[in-house]
Amino acid sequence: MKLKSIQNKFQTELKSIFSIEEIDSIFYLLIDSFYKVSRIQLALEPEMFLGNNEPILNALNLLKEQKPVQYIIGETEFYGLNFKVNKHVLIPRPETEELVTWVLKHANSKKEIRILDIGTGSGSIAVSLSKHLPRAHVYALDVSVEALNMAKQNAALNIVDVEFIEVDILKTKSIENLKFDIIVSNPPYVREQEKELMKPNVLENEPHLALFVKDNNALQFYKAIIDFSKESLSKDGILFFEINEYLGKEMIGLLKENNFSKLELKQDIFRKDRMIKGVKN
Ligand code: GLN
């Protein structure tokens, strides 16, 4: 099949799921990843034939089943860097890039500070911080061995040194007796009751371990991380969280109760309460 005909097939068969713009950008990602053909080449040579149609037609079927293109390709971009992803890790979100920007604004790049990312998943936060703070010692933990495996590959891919640790934060109060200057986390925070608001591409493909918490214990991970911080965050150290947009007030309450100061709640580009920071007294 001609490349242009395949693009038309994508547009017809996916139009009930995506907008035309989305279909085109997905198509460009796929031809680049599978055939090293750029969108410019496609525009210049629409009559071009692909060697083997199978990978792209196979991808079309997976897209129809709501599989995210990032999992089909096996990689995505975050903070200007490439990250491998698979079903064991969440696809990094643009909101989380905003969290990284916020941390970088407050991290002293001249000092050898120690940073910990809790629930690192693909390693997106830890690796991008390490890339931008070459003097920092970055640690990252996760309960999932499969996620750590992916995160380690992403550290290698981006040529940074991150120390990865397999640990369940719900059962841990310190790591190697270290004190951290910054602790950052994007833990699971979607309540079971919010499942019905979620799209099937997320719900049926992304790891529930990384997404969901019980309705009656929605702040479980934040409580555990705050507890961990009592022991393991240095005085004047900063705690940064990505949060559930509906739980900003509760998060302020929780941090206040635990004696954190200089609290700041921050919205993401979609104007949702999405991040919070506090300083340990
Ligand atoms: N923001 C993610 C979503 O929309 C959830 C991330 C998380 O639970 N930490 O699915």
Side-chain angles (χ1 to χ4, degrees):
M1 271 174 101
K2 289 179 189 162
L3 201 46
K4 188 72 200 166
S5 320
I6 299 181
Q7 187 176 20
N8 290 339
K9 189 171 164 68
F10 265 62
Q11 287 172 352
T12 322
E13 296 187 21
L14 293 173
K15 67 169 181 264
S16 61
I17 313 181
F18 305 105
S19 70
I20 286 291
E21 292 75 23
E22 283 171 325
I23 298 172
D24 281 344
S25 38
I26 291 171
F27 186 73
Y28 299 141
L29 283 173
L30 288 168
I31 58 172
D32 181 44
S33 169
F34 292 162
Y35 304 103
K36 301 281 163 255
V37 172
S38 70
R39 59 183 294 179
I40 312 210
Q41 268 173 291
L42 170 63
L44 294 173
E45 299 176 63
E47 305 286 306
M48 179 199 294
F49 280 90
L50 295 172
N52 176 4
N53 291 334
E54 207 180 303
I56 191 115
L57 295 179
N58 189 24
L60 176 58
N61 286 329
L62 294 170
L63 288 164
K64 284 195 228 166
E65 294 163 17
Q66 303 271 0
K67 189 156 179 139
V69 66
Q70 295 91 335
Y71 288 146
I72 297 175
I73 293 174
E75 67 173 33
T76 190
E77 200 193 304
F78 179 87
Y79 223 78
L81 303 170
N82 279 330
F83 284 86
K84 292 187 178 203
V85 288
N86 64 17
K87 64 177 182 186
H88 299 293
V89 301
L90 283 188
I91 297 164
R93 310 284 204 264
E95 303 89 283
T96 311
E97 295 184 305
E98 296 185 63
L99 179 69
V100 169
T101 303
W102 206 25
V103 176
L104 285 173
K105 226 171 112 184
H106 291 274
N108 188 335
S109 60
K110 301 202 179 71
K111 285 202 180 146
E112 291 199 14
I113 56 168
R114 212 177 268 136
I115 302 180
L116 175 65
D117 172 24
I118 297 179
T120 196
S122 64
S124 54
I125 297 177
V127 169
S128 5
L129 288 176
S130 181
K131 194 82 193 169
H132 285 84
L133 298 167
R135 282 171 188 260
H137 300 281
V138 181
Y139 298 72
L141 59 86
D142 209 288
V143 69
S144 154
V145 184
E146 291 90 351
L148 285 171
N149 229 323
M150 188 92 295
K152 282 177 195 165
Q153 291 183 46
N154 283 325
L157 186 68
N158 289 293
I159 322 170
V160 293
D161 216 355
V162 173
E163 183 159 338
F164 291 101
I165 306 155
E166 182 194 338
V167 112
D168 181 352
I169 192 61
L170 298 177
K171 298 182 183 142
T172 311
K173 295 272 189 289
S174 77
I175 306 268
E176 301 165 13
N177 281 324
L178 293 170
K179 295 259 188 221
F180 297 92
D181 303 291
I182 289 177
I183 294 179
V184 55
S185 183
N186 173 19
Y189 59 65
V190 182
R191 291 169 293 180
E192 303 274 347
Q193 67 187 55
E194 290 163 40
K195 264 189 185 166
E196 61 197 57
L197 305 172
M198 294 173 83
K199 300 209 179 96
N201 59 344
V202 176
L203 209 51
E204 287 162 22
N205 291 282
E206 300 206 66
H208 287 198
L209 178 68
L211 285 171
F212 292 109
V213 285
K214 296 245 155 51
D215 289 347
N216 62 7
N217 203 4
L219 303 185
Q220 179 182 30
F221 288 95
Y222 299 96
K223 289 178 182 160
I225 293 166
I226 288 171
D227 254 8
F228 176 93
S229 301
K230 289 188 180 150
E231 201 114 320
S232 303
L233 184 62
S234 55
K235 186 180 169 325
D236 297 323
I238 320 178
L239 188 53
F240 289 91
F241 283 129
E242 183 172 316
I243 62 165
N244 183 315
E245 67 201 68
Y246 307 112
L247 298 174
K249 271 205 196 92
E250 286 81 352
M251 283 303 305
I252 291 181
L254 183 66
L255 285 163
K256 265 193 189 149
E257 261 167 47
N258 284 281
N259 212 20
F260 278 80
S261 61
K262 300 189 187 152
L263 304 188
E264 268 181 74
L265 183 65
K266 197 170 157 64
Q267 295 186 330
D268 62 22
I269 39 163
F270 309 111
R271 311 217 47 171
K272 314 253 189 197
D273 289 342
R274 185 62 68 199
M275 289 155 264
I276 194 162
K277 83 180 232 296
V279 173
K280 184 172 163 179
N281 287 312

